[in-house]
Amino acid sequence: MRARAVVARLAAAAALVLAAGCSSGDDDSGSPSEESSSSAAAPAGSGGSAGEGSPPPDKGSAKVVGTVAEGLKTPWGLAELPGGDLLVSSRDSGTVYHVAAEGGKVTEAGQVPGVQREPGNEGGLLGLALGADEMVYAYLTSDSDNRIVRMTYDADGPEGNRLGAPDTVFRGIPKGGRHNGGRIAFGPDKMLYVGTGEAGDPALAQDEESLGGKILRMTPDGEPARGNPDAGSVVYSYGHRNVQGLAWDDDKRLWAAEFGDQQWDELNLIEPGRNYGWPEAEGKENREGLVDPVVQWATPDASPSGIAYADGSIWMASLRGERLWRIPLDGTKASADPQAFLDGEYGRLRTVQRASDGELLLINNETDLRGSPERGDDRILRLEVG
C-alpha cells in the first residue's frame, strides 16, 4: 500500500469534526491527511420514489482481479471497441492509445491534432466515447475553446495512424486553466451528453447563455436534441461547477458527479432544466429553486471524476480521496451510506467505466503532476463488484 495512504488514514482517525477542504477544480494538490473528516459522506436521505424491485445490499464488494494495462501517461478518457479492445486518451500528449483485450498490449492509435496543453493546466485531450456509427468522439481543449470532435477508427491501419482526421462536431465551450469538465457519453436515447466546467469563472454556471458549468445534450452531429428544455439550445441542466462523471441507472435516470469548492463534492440526479446551485449553493442547502445533491462528500474524501452504474449502485472514482466509492441506490435516493474501497492502494482514481462483460474498468492517475507515480503507473484495472 502506498505510504501516503497510511498517513491519510491516521489523520482521518484523529479528526473530530468535518473540515472544509478545497477541491479547486480538477482536484486539489494539497494533502488530504490534514483535512479528512470523521464522517466522510452523507446521503441526502430524501427525494423521489424508489425504483422497481429491492435496493441492493447496504454493503457491497469490490475486488481488483487483474491489470489490463500499465505504463500509461496521464490517461483520462476510455472507450470500449466492439470485441473488448480499448481506446484511452492521454490528456497531456493528445494521443489516443489502443489496448488489446487479449494481453493488454498498448500501441498508439494516433495523435489528435489541435490539442492545446500546458503543464499544470487541466485541459488537454479528455473524454472519449464511441458512437453508434463506431466513430470515436473526443472532448479536447483547443487554442480557443473546449470542443468535441469525431474521428474514424481503422483497426487494421498501421500503428500510430489508425485515426482519421478530426471533424469538429461542437465548439465554443469555455476553457480555462481549471474546471474544463470533459466527460462525454452517449445516453440510452443515443444522444451525446457532455459535462462542462465553468472554466474558473463561477458566474458562467448561472449564465444560461453560456455553455460553461452545464450538462449538454446534443445529437451525434452536435445539434440540440429533441426534448431539451430550450428547443434551440444544447443546455440540459445548469448551475454546475465542474462535471466529470456521467452515468445512467437501469431506469435510464442520469447521474452526475462534480467537484465542490470549500466544503462539498456532489453526486446529483440530473433532471432537464434544473438549477444545481453553483455558485449560489454548495452541497445540501435546501434552497428554493435549487437542486440539492443526493449525496455529498467533504472535499478531501472525494474530488470525484468518473462514475459508473453497476449492480444497483453508482461507483465513483475519487482523485484527492484516492478511493472508489459505492453508493447503493433505491430509485432516486441513496439507500445506505456510501462505502469506500481501495483506499489509497492505487493513488488517485480518474475514470471508472462498466465494461461489456459487466465488470468495471478503473484508471488511476498518478502521472498528472499531482500524484506520486510508482512503477507501473498509470494503470487500467479490472474489478469484480457486487
Side-chain angles (χ1 to χ4, degrees):
M1 181 176 294
R2 296 167 190 263
R4 64 181 180 279
V6 177
V7 176
R9 279 212 293 273
L10 289 174
L16 299 178
V17 295
L18 286 174
C22 177
S23 185
S24 58
D26 194 51
D27 47 70
D28 184 19
S29 57
S31 170
S33 62
E34 297 179 358
E35 300 180 290
S36 290
S37 66
S38 58
S39 177
S46 64
S49 59
E52 297 297 325
S54 301
D58 288 356
K59 298 296 183 181
S61 61
K63 178 183 179 182
V64 175
V65 295
T67 299
V68 178
E70 61 183 17
L72 301 169
K73 301 305 177 186
T74 63
W76 210 101
L78 181 66
E80 184 178 7
L81 296 167
D85 288 0
L86 304 174
L87 297 178
V88 186
S89 64
S90 170
R91 185 189 71 180
D92 289 0
S93 71
T95 303
V96 176
Y97 290 98
H98 174 271
V99 179
E102 296 296 328
K105 182 180 180 181
V106 179
T107 56
E108 185 175 325
Q111 290 273 335
V112 181
V115 175
Q116 296 295 311
R117 172 65 189 158
E118 299 175 7
N121 190 300
E122 294 172 3
L125 182 59
L126 304 175
L128 293 180
L130 191 69
D133 51 8
E134 295 193 6
M135 295 190 73
V136 179
Y137 289 70
Y139 185 112
L140 62 86
T141 307
S142 76
D143 60 356
S144 60
D145 61 5
N146 286 304
R147 60 181 59 184
I148 299 164
V149 302
R150 62 183 172 190
M151 301 158 283
T152 58
Y153 178 75
D154 180 5
D156 297 321
E159 182 176 338
N161 196 27
R162 298 173 190 156
L163 294 174
D167 171 36
T168 299
V169 170
F170 192 83
R171 69 182 73 215
I173 301 168
K175 76 165 196 173
R178 58 189 186 132
H179 303 183
N180 287 285
R183 194 70 61 183
I184 58 176
F186 282 94
D189 56 4
K190 300 183 180 179
M191 297 295 105
L192 182 62
Y193 291 74
V194 181
T196 78
E198 30 81 318
D201 181 356
L204 296 184
Q206 292 295 321
D207 181 354
E208 295 185 49
E209 299 301 316
S210 172
L211 299 170
K214 309 294 190 295
I215 293 177
L216 313 179
R217 177 176 178 262
M218 64 186 71
T219 70
D221 294 324
E223 297 297 325
R226 181 177 298 179
N228 279 1
D230 180 341
S233 172
V234 296
V235 173
Y236 193 66
S237 62
Y238 67 105
H240 300 287
R241 187 170 184 264
N242 192 23
V243 177
Q244 288 188 9
L246 299 170
W248 289 263
D249 63 24
D250 285 340
D251 290 316
K252 301 181 180 180
R253 289 179 288 244
L254 174 60
W255 298 81
E258 66 178 276
F259 294 89
D261 182 21
Q262 298 298 320
Q263 290 185 303
W264 301 112
D265 294 324
E266 300 179 357
L267 177 69
N268 286 297
L269 175 63
I270 303 301
E271 299 178 79
R274 301 297 300 276
N275 182 353
Y276 287 81
W278 179 253
E280 306 300 326
E282 181 182 355
K284 296 180 289 182
E285 296 194 7
N286 193 30
R287 294 176 57 175
E288 184 177 357
L290 306 181
V291 181
D292 278 351
V294 174
V295 186
Q296 62 183 20
W297 286 262
T299 53
D301 299 308
S303 292
S305 190
I307 63 173
Y309 177 82
D311 294 295
S313 299
I314 294 289
W315 301 82
M316 188 177 81
S318 295
L319 289 158
R320 185 179 175 190
E322 298 189 354
R323 66 201 81 175
L324 179 68
W325 286 101
R326 172 187 181 262
I327 305 97
L329 299 179
D330 183 2
T332 60
K333 62 183 181 180
S335 60
D337 288 339
Q339 182 182 7
F341 295 95
L342 309 180
D343 189 357
E345 293 183 37
Y346 296 95
R348 298 153 46 76
L349 304 179
R350 168 68 67 183
T351 295
V352 60
Q353 188 163 308
R354 188 174 182 177
S356 57
D357 61 8
E359 294 183 340
L360 293 186
L361 299 172
L362 180 67
I363 295 178
N364 79 328
N365 223 175
E366 289 287 287
T367 62
D368 66 350
L369 301 182
R370 294 184 175 180
S372 300
E374 297 181 357
R375 184 175 181 179
D377 287 334
D378 284 331
R379 315 161 192 265
I380 304 175
L381 305 170
R382 182 174 290 276
L383 279 68
E384 288 182 353
V385 300

